[in-house]
Amino acid sequence: MSARVDVDGTTAALPTGGPGALGAPWSSGVRRRPDGEVEVAGVGAGDLAAEHGTPAYVLDEADFRARARAYRGAFEAAFEQIGTGVDVYYAGKALLTVAVARWATQEGLGVDTASGGELAVALRAGVPGAAIGLHGNNKSDGEVLAALDAGVGRIIVDSLVEIERVGDLAASRGVVAPVMVRVTTGVHAGGHEYISTAHEDQKFGLSVTPGPDGGTSPALGALEAVVARPELELLGIHSHIGSQILDPSGFEAAARVVLQLRADLAERTGVLVEEVDLGGGYGIAYLPADEALEPAPVARDVAAAVAAVCSELGTPLPRFSIEPGRAVVGPAGMTLYTVGTVKPVTVSPAGGGSSDAEPFTRLYVSVDGGMSDNIRPALYGADYHAEVVGRLSDAAPVLARVVGKHCESGDIVVHEVLLPGDVRAGDLLAVAATGAYGRSMASNYNALTRPPVVAVAEGDSRVLVRRETVEDLLALDQG
Ligand code: LLP
């Protein structure tokens, strides 16, 4: 990734915001003013709402940059210690806008894209082709050609069919395509089964385990197929084991499998690939009690493990790369909503009338967005933290559920949170740590328009992606 921008002064710790900051799961620029209003990087919640409306995704630019630097700094230091290098690619699927891609590039990260659309955003941002990777288990010819034309640094191939297709397309353009082969190591990790992508019974990658007839594994077969195509340059092996991983031992286990595969390929073909990508998946705090993964100890452990494995195998160390998405942008973002209706609902505990447990009251607090701007609670049962951010309240906290405005009872924004008992229509409410997979997975369900992405830095806010309008939706409808 030679074209990336080099930046001085990397630091390896995640930003905390220091004294006065609300702390995790909020971004480091979030603090409560003496009058009770919450501010982000010096801009009050009230001003943000007045200027940009609600709902709005609010991104703390300095926090994003600090997290990008922390990951890069921690991994560079740890891998330098063992005598090799590492490149950090920001996984754009978490949130990609032109400005966000620029921030990542300015902090010395490459950009990992998962479709032609994400590739186009990275290119529009001016990210050098050499610093871009293109993923996808079912890339179209158009996407592959766009990547080749942009001179992307790596196309991560995902099947035998695709290896032949990328080879043919490269031949048609008269170029050599730089590829990595995505393999599944059998190691899977992460907070939810749907986001664990290294199960053998899933669509991604090629397994290192031989099929029922024995013989060569699909992964080894694919690597050999790449070696056999002169239009393809085999850069390395790629493994992504899952997402929202809080136990880093999975990275070490996967690295061991990949390094063994690399040694096997070298033994069979004489080709020792130069790079191993360990994917993304670094977990973050969503709730005040959660412990985020700190990059420095993880990087140290992974580096030590790969050094030990390479020395056991007697193979020189490859260069490494990683692809964090959520860990860079997740905590940097919050969603600002306005409270509408508030309704106490009496809940009978499970077991109904026969249960000894007393019925209790849950306060349903409806906001002006919902599952269209954050599908994660409905899709994964994901938990979030929310606070009233426009004022201070000394009312006793009550058990609340924050819900959206969609026609669906599963339209839940925060399953369970304590909110001030006097929470009422007009209050501003913010949900923390929505920077990753919020806007990028947003929909227009019920013809709701997607909220803007607003960046805040040094006391100023600016729109990165404007709010969608109903006119935007109608413009697509051909009548
Ligand atoms: N690299 C590859 C090849 C990936 O497939 C992914 C995520 C990443 C990197 C970035 O992972 P991260 O560091 O952000 O965990 N929609 C789900 C997450 C799906 C992740 C898919 N792949 C969610 O909202 O939790």
Side-chain angles (χ1 to χ4, degrees):
M1 210 177 66
S2 51
R4 71 166 199 208
V5 178
D6 269 300
V7 186
D8 292 330
T10 53
T11 137
L14 293 178
T16 61
L22 280 189
W26 301 99
S27 76
S28 50
V30 173
R31 53 198 70 227
R32 215 175 252 282
R33 294 173 172 170
D35 69 357
E37 187 185 4
V38 166
E39 64 171 40
V40 186
V43 185
D47 286 345
L48 286 168
E51 189 170 349
H52 305 287
T54 60
Y57 301 107
V58 178
L59 263 188
D60 181 341
E61 177 178 346
D63 187 83
F64 176 101
R65 288 179 180 274
R67 286 173 201 282
R69 279 199 298 277
Y71 267 84
R72 186 178 151 225
F75 276 80
E76 282 183 351
F79 282 80
E80 192 183 329
Q81 196 80 41
I82 61 164
T84 187
V86 63
D87 294 306
V88 181
Y89 289 78
Y90 168 63
K93 67 202 78 190
L95 174 69
L96 199 62
T97 78
V98 166
V100 166
R102 284 193 185 128
W103 299 346
T105 307
Q106 287 162 1
E107 298 302 338
L109 275 58
V111 178
D112 150 24
T113 64
S115 71
E118 288 183 5
L119 174 62
V121 177
L123 292 173
R124 173 72 61 88
V127 180
I132 300 177
L134 177 67
H135 273 278
N137 68 300
N138 188 21
K139 305 173 192 74
S140 69
D141 288 358
E143 288 173 320
V144 173
L145 287 172
L148 292 174
D149 293 345
V152 302
R154 49 214 265 180
I155 297 177
I156 296 87
V157 293
D158 201 84
S159 64
L160 280 179
V161 175
E162 188 178 65
I163 289 168
E164 295 312 326
R165 213 143 45 80
V166 175
D168 293 346
L169 292 166
S172 78
R173 285 291 205 263
V175 296
V176 172
V179 303
M180 300 189 90
V181 174
R182 180 159 174 183
V183 304
T184 52
T185 56
V187 177
H188 52 90
H192 194 283
E193 215 222 336
Y194 296 160
I195 53 175
S196 297
T197 51
H199 288 151
E200 302 296 338
D201 190 7
Q202 49 90 6
K203 69 176 184 171
F204 291 109
L206 292 131
S207 178
V208 300
T209 311
D213 307 332
T216 307
S217 68
L220 203 48
L223 289 162
E224 289 181 1
V226 173
V227 171
R229 290 284 311 235
E231 308 88 349
L232 301 179
E233 180 198 358
L234 180 60
L235 297 181
I237 306 176
H238 186 288
S239 151
H240 171 78
I241 59 171
S243 207
Q244 184 54 14
I245 296 170
L246 294 167
D247 172 5
S249 59
F251 295 114
E252 295 166 36
R256 176 174 293 275
V257 175
V258 170
L259 291 169
Q260 177 68 56
L261 176 65
R262 173 174 177 258
D264 293 346
L265 178 72
E267 195 177 298
R268 287 170 64 102
T269 63
V271 175
L272 186 69
V273 299
E274 277 171 20
E275 190 172 336
V276 165
D277 190 307
L278 297 174
Y282 305 90
I284 64 166
Y286 279 101
L287 301 178
D290 288 349
E291 291 252 354
L293 219 52
E294 269 291 334
V298 176
R300 249 192 332 264
D301 289 354
V302 174
V306 300
V309 174
C310 281
S311 124
E312 264 168 51
L313 293 170
T315 46
L317 276 162
R319 188 173 178 84
F320 284 86
S321 43
I322 60 164
E323 299 171 335
R326 185 193 317 266
V328 176
V329 73
M334 60 144 90
T335 313
L336 193 57
Y337 298 100
T338 302
V339 171
T341 57
V342 175
K343 185 195 287 180
V345 172
T346 304
V347 181
S348 298
S354 63
S355 165
D356 290 344
E358 292 292 316
F360 65 93
T361 300
R362 200 195 308 274
L363 196 63
Y364 273 75
V365 176
S366 299
V367 294
D368 50 355
M371 64 194 298
S372 54
D373 60 70
N374 188 359
I375 191 65
R376 298 190 73 259
L379 190 56
Y380 309 124
D383 290 321
Y384 283 90
H385 174 68
E387 289 185 31
V388 168
V389 292
R391 65 182 173 98
L392 207 54
S393 166
D394 51 16
V398 297
L399 181 66
R401 173 166 286 176
V402 182
V403 296
K405 58 180 288 170
H406 291 276
C407 296
E408 189 154 328
S409 50
D411 172 27
I412 293 169
V413 177
V414 182
H415 288 96
E416 196 161 81
V417 60
L418 291 172
L419 291 179
D422 63 352
V423 59
R424 54 184 180 250
D427 268 336
L428 289 174
L429 182 133
V431 176
T434 57
Y437 305 109
R439 176 61 169 78
S440 70
M441 292 174 76
S443 76
N444 293 116
Y445 185 35
N446 294 139
L448 259 64
T449 54
R450 287 176 298 173
V453 181
V454 176
V456 187
E458 294 175 355
D460 270 324
S461 68
R462 70 184 171 113
V463 176
L464 303 188
V465 180
R466 73 157 167 80
R467 183 184 302 283
E468 233 167 12
T469 64
V470 173
E471 280 312 311
D472 290 329
L473 304 186
L474 287 172
L476 296 173
D477 188 325
Q478 302 298 295

